């Protein structure tokens, strides 16, 4: 089991460029999440999905889009990157039952110049 | 919406001293989970508690109050391996995380 994997690990973008972050999990988890982590701000939820083909907005969704076409993958897109989106992005997944453990990926460090 | 607050935000201790972080919710929680994130790493699940539970993992003691709003993590005799940020979270999907308590241990 690889668990939760994220690609890329690190990326530098120029303002206005677009990119997609890929999250993959091999645990057959129903729920998947994208968080961003900034110094002193903890983990803030961007978008999440409770199943294939469904997505929902989290706390800070503006400037991001997501897709969950396959159960094992959850994509996070930045259509027009801004310096305010410089952050560390974590993907996570868990089973659907109440109280299940959430497993995090290793993170993607994004720098927008 | 549901909010989970953690205090303190930072804590610096000498190795061997004890450490406690507190987690307080604005609403009652069905359960609470604690995670640890090492510097440069990702959050890793430590434990889950339901109302009234006290659980121990070696030098770590976790409590979740009967009122279902307050929880704490206490580390006895800290070691340098305890360095990191400790997060509490709760709720059903999506999990709501506190901002974490960053622990530094001075050898």
């Amino acid at each position: 089991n690889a668990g939760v994997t994220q690609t890329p690990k690190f990326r530098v973008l120029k303002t206005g460029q677009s990119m997609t972050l890929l999250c993959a999990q091999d645990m057959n988890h129903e729920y998947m999440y994208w968080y961003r982590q900034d110094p002193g701000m903890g983990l803030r939820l961007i978008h999440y999905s409770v199943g294939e083909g469904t997505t929902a907005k989290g706390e800070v969704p503006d400037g991001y889009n997501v897709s969950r076409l396959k159960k094992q993958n959850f994509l996070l897109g930045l259509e027009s990157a801004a310096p305010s989106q410089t952050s560390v992005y974590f993907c996570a997944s868990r089973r659907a039952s109440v109280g299940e453990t959430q497993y995090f990926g290793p993170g993607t460090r994004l720098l927008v110049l | 919406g549901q909010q989970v607050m953690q205090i303190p935000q930072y804590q610096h201790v000498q190795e061997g001293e004890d450490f406690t972080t507190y987690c307080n919710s604005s609403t009652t929680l069905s359960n609470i989970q604690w995670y640890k994130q090492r510097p440069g790493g990702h959050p890793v699940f430590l434990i889950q508690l339901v109302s009234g539970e006290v659980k121990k993992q070696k030098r770590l003691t976790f409590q979740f109050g009967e009122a279902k709003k307050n929880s704490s993590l206490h580390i006895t005799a800290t070691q340098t391996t305890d360095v990191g940020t400790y997060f509490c979270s709760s709720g059903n999907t999506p999990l709501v995380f506190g901002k974490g308590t960053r622990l530094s241990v001075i050898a």
Side-chain angles (χ1 to χ4, degrees):
Chain A
N1 268 359
V4 181
T5 58
Q6 293 182 233
T7 52
K9 288 184 171 55
F10 178 70
R11 183 77 182 267
V12 178
L13 288 179
K14 293 181 180 179
T15 296
Q17 287 185 318
S18 64
M19 78 164 294
T20 300
L21 282 67
L22 171 64
C23 175
Q25 52 93 6
D26 60 1
M27 297 173 282
N28 202 35
H29 287 171
E30 293 83 6
Y31 294 173
M32 296 187 74
Y33 309 83
W34 276 107
Y35 294 88
R36 61 177 288 174
Q37 185 174 42
D38 304 292
M41 298 297 291
L43 293 158
R44 293 188 292 170
L45 182 66
I46 305 171
H47 286 280
Y48 64 101
S49 168
V50 297
E52 184 178 321
T54 70
T55 63
K57 293 180 180 180
E59 181 186 357
V60 288
D62 294 342
Y64 305 94
N65 57 75
V66 288
S67 65
R68 183 116 181 254
L69 299 179
K70 293 182 179 180
K71 187 177 184 179
Q72 64 266 34
N73 297 334
F74 196 28
L75 278 63
L76 178 70
L78 285 73
E79 290 185 350
S80 179
S84 60
Q85 294 177 304
T86 292
S87 188
V88 179
Y89 292 85
F90 288 102
C91 176
S93 72
R94 53 170 275 192
R95 294 189 193 281
S97 303
V98 173
E100 288 287 335
T101 302
Q102 192 152 298
Y103 295 88
F104 285 83
T108 293
R109 196 170 294 271
L110 177 65
L111 175 61
V112 183
L113 301 175
Chain B
Q2 187 177 78
Q3 287 188 318
V4 177
M5 292 150 286
Q6 282 186 255
I7 53 171
Q9 190 173 0
Y10 302 97
Q11 185 79 56
H12 307 280
V13 299
Q14 291 280 347
E15 190 173 22
E17 291 183 339
D18 292 356
F19 159 76
T20 304
T21 175
Y22 299 92
C23 180
N24 302 305
S25 173
S26 57
T27 59
T28 56
L29 307 173
S30 56
N31 62 76
I32 199 154
Q33 296 183 348
W34 284 92
Y35 293 76
K36 177 183 178 181
Q37 183 178 24
R38 295 181 186 276
H42 59 276
V44 175
F45 174 80
L46 291 177
I47 204 163
Q48 176 176 287
L49 303 107
V50 297
S51 171
E53 278 194 320
V54 178
K55 290 186 177 179
K56 294 194 75 170
Q57 290 181 350
K58 297 183 180 178
R59 295 176 294 104
L60 278 61
T61 302
F62 302 84
Q63 297 188 29
F64 186 28
E66 294 279 355
K68 302 182 182 181
K69 286 189 173 183
N70 305 302
S71 182
S72 65
L73 158 59
H74 178 83
I75 302 178
T76 303
T78 55
Q79 300 176 359
T80 54
T81 54
D82 296 323
V83 164
T85 301
Y86 293 85
F87 292 97
C88 63
S89 74
S90 191
N92 202 356
T93 279
L95 291 185
V96 175
F97 283 86
K99 292 188 177 181
T101 296
R102 183 183 294 180
L103 173 64
S104 299
V105 179
I106 305 164

